[in-house]
Amino acid sequence: LGVTIKDVAKLANVAPSTVSRVVANNPRISEETKRKVREAMDYLGYHPNFTARSLANRSARAIGLVMPSSAEKAFQNPFFPEVLRGISTKAHEQEYTLLMSTGTTEDETYRAVVGMVQGRRVDGIVLLYSRVDDRIMNYLFEQKFPFTVIGKPYKHDDQINHVDNDNYRAAKEVTDYHIKNGHERIGFVGGSLNLVVTTDRLLGYEKALQNARISYKSEYVIHADFAVEEGRRAVSELMTLDAPPTALVVTDDLMALGVLRMLDDMGLKVPDDVSVSSFNNAMIADLSTPALTSVDINIYELGYQAADLLLHSIEKPKSSPQMLKVKHEIIKRQSSGTFNEKE
Amino acid sequence: LGVTIKDVAKLANVAPSTVSRVVANNPRISEETKRKVREAMDYLGYHPNFTARSLANRSARAIGLVMPSSAEKAFQNPFFPEVLRGISTKAHEQEYTLLMSTGTTEDETYRAVVGMVQGRRVDGIVLLYSRVDDRIMNYLFEQKFPFTVIGKPYKHDDQINHVDNDNYRAAKEVTDYHIKNGHERIGFVGGSLNLVVTTDRLLGYEKALQNARISYKSEYVIHADFAVEEGRRAVSELMTLDAPPTALVVTDDLMALGVLRMLDDMGLKVPDDVSVSSFNNAMIADLSTPALTSVDINIYELGYQAADLLLHSIEKPKSSPQMLKVKHEIIKRQSSGTFNEKE
DNA sequence: TTGTATGCGTTATCAT
DNA sequence: ATGATAACGCATACAA
């Protein structure tokens, strides 16, 4: 414990720099001395001090994770574990570790990020969300610090690394699907309008209606947080309208579960009275009763690719920004009525 | 970017050490110079380099998280996000960040931990599980490195910081509950026997049977992983016995969901044909159909307290090891038949 | 192929 | 109350 490169050097009768080179497996060191030095290392139980190395190196081999400020809630949503799994896998492949910023308010999170960046605790950052006019994103952009966004940046999206789904198309497709199933009164239960993903999906929803010459009704559109309770609330609003929707496009599984629950409480049958579709296709979508039709957005892949992009731009900082679209797929289950498409 | 303490010193006409003191808000610096220095800091946009500080300080203000080697699977289970939420909250309160070790095999994880520890990347570690004869735990113990275990250490449990539930009692209580409901053929579907939590719960289960003079049958006890598929498998084994159980003590919500699914596939009604209880009381327990009776083990609290214990032993290394029991509660729902206890 | 010297950005120990 | 200087442990340009 506390054995340094110097101790090893002394024991092996070489200079500290030589030991350093052996650790780095520098080819210009003779096999002979490598052996000797490694022996000494083993004997003393030497392990390089990562902090010192980072300082000399100016690299931390760590990437920072920024969750929405309401991380409290975020952790409840299966999206995050899954995206983390993807990021973690890629990071592991390249021997990077993950540093999670903690912060409850937006301001705290912002300062935590500034601390990470200026303090050189991380070599790059993955933003796990994309908000309209996000302070943290603006900061990273101005600093030209390596980062990737999961989702589509609100602006400068051609200059910022990001990986996203084609949310416009996905929402359009799932709305089309309801229309094909004969629905004309279709509701939309989306996340906060501050999230870019919400506006993208809303546009897709609108486009599908427009194509089918169904007029858009603002009272059919609800914005809420990604949580079970919020899904309930949305339903209680929608279903007390004069002409309540017969199908619902919900943009999150957790919300959708709340939707199902509330519909059940109100005595409405899914899919007979109301068809429901959702996004994310988390495990719970398959396990719920009735099973949820949900758009699989390949969350793991989003995370994995985001990390990949980031690591690229860390290793060669001059490379131009990359964008990636991850594919989606509607997984049809009971909640939307038909398993096979009608013509 | 890249502005150091020296730049600030120069601009403010003081020595670097003075700037350092101002940053630390050392009381023996005059308010006058503090003001002057802070002005310079603001003007230059100075932020302390965390790595350099760590090196000089010999403290990283980070705590390492060690997941089971199969982190891949672990992330699927709601247990981890929730325990992480607890840890994260406490860490945040004390301005520590979280470093996640990545590693797919046991050996990789071990080396990742050694790297964290010897490399002084973290000041302490939270072990998110407790296995029989765990190599990592042994290592940390021998190194006398600050760490906390969530769960009960296999040995030296009086010398190791840990926070745990009274799993023996919890399992006994939930088994008693089934017995009170009139069941005599009670199955046990637990996790791997390598996990201490499994043996604790198994003992509680056995004790309850013994008290009720019900003989223990080894064919009623199944060990599986914490996953939906494994729950299915367990049921298919148990329900093909000559005298299949009429009640099941399952030790994980995810497994329990698999159990429900398989029972349904086999045409068995819950709770009419089979009563099911579970552990963890994750959100899915409440949302499943039928809703799962589940032992709430206060996962968030486990995480929060584990971090608290750890931070204590980091700040004063000489303090004696602490143990903490977090309380549990059986949340009765439909899957176990009766909402109110019989007498 | 290996050693020497210096820097990485702070903090801490002396002085003054 | 402040300054000079030496750690902290490693990497690297330059020498040899």
Side-chain angles (χ1 to χ4, degrees):
Chain A
L1 218 45
V3 34
T4 83
I5 222 171
K6 286 181 188 170
D7 303 322
V8 178
K10 213 164 290 172
L11 181 59
N13 268 317
V14 294
S17 52
T18 302
V19 177
S20 173
R21 288 176 182 120
V22 172
V23 171
N25 199 19
N26 186 316
R28 330 184 289 190
I29 299 289
S30 74
E31 287 305 321
E32 173 58 16
T33 40
K34 276 189 184 172
R35 206 189 36 68
K36 201 172 53 181
V37 169
R38 286 189 179 125
E39 217 162 64
M41 295 194 333
D42 284 355
Y43 181 72
L44 296 175
Y46 168 77
H47 281 273
N49 180 311
F50 210 93
T51 308
R53 182 180 271 184
S54 290
L55 186 57
N57 257 347
R58 312 163 125 259
S59 108
R61 280 203 104 69
I63 77 188
L65 264 29
V66 182
M67 318 258 258
S69 326
S70 51
E72 288 281 311
K73 280 186 184 172
F75 275 118
Q76 311 269 20
N77 197 305
F79 178 86
F80 287 93
E82 183 64 4
V83 76
L84 235 134
R85 197 167 67 84
I87 296 173
S88 167
T89 302
K90 182 66 198 179
H92 174 64
E93 286 176 18
Q94 316 263 74
E95 297 195 284
Y96 276 74
T97 51
L98 302 180
L99 200 65
M100 290 198 356
S101 84
T102 52
T104 48
T105 71
E106 195 203 314
D107 200 57
E108 272 182 1
T109 310
Y110 176 74
R111 278 193 301 232
V113 170
V114 174
M116 278 181 165
V117 171
Q118 306 277 10
R120 292 289 179 271
R121 284 189 98 168
V122 297
D123 304 318
I125 280 188
V126 179
L127 268 184
L128 297 186
Y129 63 91
S130 174
R131 262 199 322 215
V132 171
D133 223 1
D134 185 55
R135 196 168 156 209
I136 295 179
M137 193 162 89
N138 292 339
Y139 167 76
L140 294 171
F141 184 65
E142 283 163 15
Q143 296 288 323
K144 299 189 193 309
F145 194 78
F147 75 106
T148 323
V149 178
I150 293 185
K152 195 175 74 184
Y154 177 53
K155 49 186 178 185
H156 308 305
D157 70 312
D158 57 334
Q159 302 171 57
I160 295 178
N161 285 312
H162 66 275
V163 24
D164 194 13
N165 303 104
D166 191 338
N167 281 303
Y168 172 82
R169 242 189 36 165
K172 182 169 166 301
E173 284 171 13
V174 80
T175 310
D176 281 341
Y177 169 66
H178 286 301
I179 293 172
K180 273 192 193 162
N181 284 349
H183 295 280
E184 296 189 344
R185 302 206 306 272
I186 303 173
F188 179 89
V189 182
S192 158
L193 266 177
N194 289 325
L195 296 175
V196 177
V197 64
T198 303
T199 59
D200 277 357
R201 288 178 185 167
L202 188 52
L203 287 172
Y205 159 83
E206 288 177 20
K207 182 64 178 176
L209 295 186
Q210 183 190 318
N211 284 353
R213 306 191 182 286
I214 298 174
S215 64
Y216 171 88
K217 296 193 177 182
S218 63
E219 64 267 32
Y220 280 0
V221 174
I222 304 258
H223 294 287
D225 288 343
F226 296 145
V228 176
E229 269 317 305
E230 295 284 286
R232 301 183 66 102
R233 190 174 61 70
V235 166
S236 70
E237 285 193 31
L238 287 169
M239 291 303 150
T240 51
L241 292 174
D242 284 344
T246 62
L248 297 176
V249 174
V250 187
T251 68
D252 177 86
D253 288 329
L254 235 43
M255 282 201 307
L257 285 185
V259 164
L260 292 184
R261 273 304 176 95
M262 192 50 138
L263 289 172
D264 190 53
D265 287 0
M266 297 174 84
L268 293 166
K269 295 297 172 204
V270 174
D272 300 345
D273 300 325
V274 184
S275 281
V276 177
S277 72
S278 169
F279 273 80
N280 286 12
N281 193 34
M283 188 190 300
I284 46 172
D286 187 41
L287 295 172
S288 94
T289 316
L292 266 172
T293 288
S294 189
V295 181
D296 190 334
I297 59 170
N298 286 299
I299 300 176
Y300 174 89
E301 191 70 9
L302 285 171
Y304 187 90
Q305 296 298 345
D308 190 47
L309 253 54
L310 179 61
L311 293 182
H312 274 299
S313 75
I314 288 174
E315 319 253 281
K316 36 180 187 163
K318 285 303 154 209
S319 56
S320 53
Q322 305 257 5
M323 298 99 209
L324 222 83
K325 283 262 181 278
V326 168
K327 63 172 191 274
H328 61 266
E329 184 186 1
I330 304 179
I331 308 295
K332 293 165 188 165
R333 299 197 184 89
Q334 293 132 17
S335 71
S336 61
T338 65
F339 288 87
N340 307 308
E341 301 204 37
K342 293 180 187 171
E343 280 313 298
Chain B
L1 216 46
V3 34
T4 83
I5 222 172
K6 287 181 187 171
D7 303 322
V8 177
K10 213 164 289 173
L11 180 60
N13 268 317
V14 295
S17 48
T18 303
V19 177
S20 174
R21 287 177 183 119
V22 172
V23 171
N25 199 19
N26 187 318
R28 339 184 279 192
I29 298 290
S30 75
E31 287 306 320
E32 172 57 17
T33 39
K34 274 189 185 172
R35 207 188 36 67
K36 201 172 54 180
V37 169
R38 286 188 179 127
E39 218 163 62
M41 293 193 336
D42 285 355
Y43 180 74
L44 295 176
Y46 169 77
H47 282 272
N49 181 311
F50 209 94
T51 309
R53 183 179 269 183
S54 289
L55 186 58
N57 258 347
R58 308 158 132 261
S59 107
R61 280 204 102 70
I63 76 188
L65 263 30
V66 182
M67 320 258 259
S69 327
S70 52
E72 289 282 309
K73 280 187 185 172
F75 274 120
Q76 313 269 21
N77 197 306
F79 178 86
F80 288 92
E82 184 65 3
V83 75
L84 235 133
R85 197 167 68 83
I87 296 174
S88 168
T89 302
K90 183 66 198 176
H92 174 63
E93 286 176 20
Q94 317 263 69
E95 299 195 284
Y96 276 74
T97 51
L98 302 180
L99 199 65
M100 291 198 354
S101 83
T102 53
T104 48
T105 71
E106 196 203 313
D107 200 57
E108 273 182 359
T109 309
Y110 175 74
R111 277 192 302 229
V113 170
V114 173
M116 279 183 164
V117 170
Q118 307 278 8
R120 291 289 178 267
R121 285 189 98 170
V122 298
D123 305 317
I125 280 188
V126 179
L127 267 184
L128 298 187
Y129 62 93
S130 175
R131 261 197 322 213
V132 171
D133 223 0
D134 185 55
R135 196 169 154 208
I136 295 179
M137 192 160 91
N138 291 340
Y139 167 76
L140 294 171
F141 184 66
E142 283 164 13
Q143 296 289 321
K144 299 188 195 310
F145 194 77
F147 75 108
T148 326
V149 178
I150 294 186
K152 195 175 75 185
Y154 178 53
K155 49 186 178 185
H156 308 304
D157 70 314
D158 56 335
Q159 303 172 58
I160 294 178
N161 284 312
H162 65 276
V163 25
D164 195 12
N165 303 103
D166 191 337
N167 281 303
Y168 172 83
R169 243 191 33 166
K172 182 169 164 303
E173 283 171 13
V174 79
T175 309
D176 281 342
Y177 169 66
H178 286 300
I179 293 172
K180 273 193 192 161
N181 285 348
H183 295 279
E184 296 190 341
R185 303 206 305 272
I186 303 174
F188 179 90
V189 182
S192 157
L193 265 176
N194 289 324
L195 297 174
V196 177
V197 64
T198 302
T199 57
D200 277 358
R201 289 178 184 167
L202 188 52
L203 288 172
Y205 159 83
E206 288 177 20
K207 181 64 177 176
L209 294 186
Q210 181 190 321
N211 284 354
R213 305 189 184 288
I214 298 174
S215 65
Y216 170 89
K217 294 193 178 182
S218 63
E219 64 267 33
Y220 280 0
V221 174
I222 305 258
H223 293 288
D225 289 343
F226 296 145
V228 176
E229 268 318 306
E230 295 284 286
R232 300 183 65 102
R233 190 174 62 71
V235 167
S236 70
E237 285 193 32
L238 288 169
M239 290 304 150
T240 52
L241 292 174
D242 284 344
T246 61
L248 297 176
V249 173
V250 188
T251 69
D252 177 86
D253 288 329
L254 235 43
M255 281 200 308
L257 284 186
V259 163
L260 292 183
R261 272 306 176 93
M262 191 51 139
L263 289 172
D264 189 53
D265 287 359
M266 297 173 85
L268 293 165
K269 296 296 171 204
V270 174
D272 300 345
D273 299 326
V274 184
S275 281
V276 177
S277 71
S278 170
F279 273 81
N280 286 10
N281 192 33
M283 187 190 300
I284 47 173
D286 187 42
L287 294 172
S288 93
T289 316
L292 265 172
T293 289
S294 190
V295 181
D296 190 335
I297 60 171
N298 286 298
I299 299 175
Y300 174 89
E301 191 70 9
L302 285 171
Y304 187 91
Q305 296 298 345
D308 190 48
L309 253 56
L310 179 61
L311 292 182
H312 274 300
S313 76
I314 288 175
E315 319 253 283
K316 36 182 190 162
K318 284 302 156 210
S319 55
S320 53
Q322 305 258 4
M323 300 97 210
L324 222 83
K325 284 262 182 276
V326 168
K327 64 171 189 274
H328 62 266
E329 183 187 1
I330 304 180
I331 308 295
K332 292 166 188 166
R333 300 200 184 86
Q334 293 131 17
S335 71
S336 62
T338 65
F339 290 86
N340 308 307
E341 302 204 37
K342 295 179 188 173
E343 280 313 296

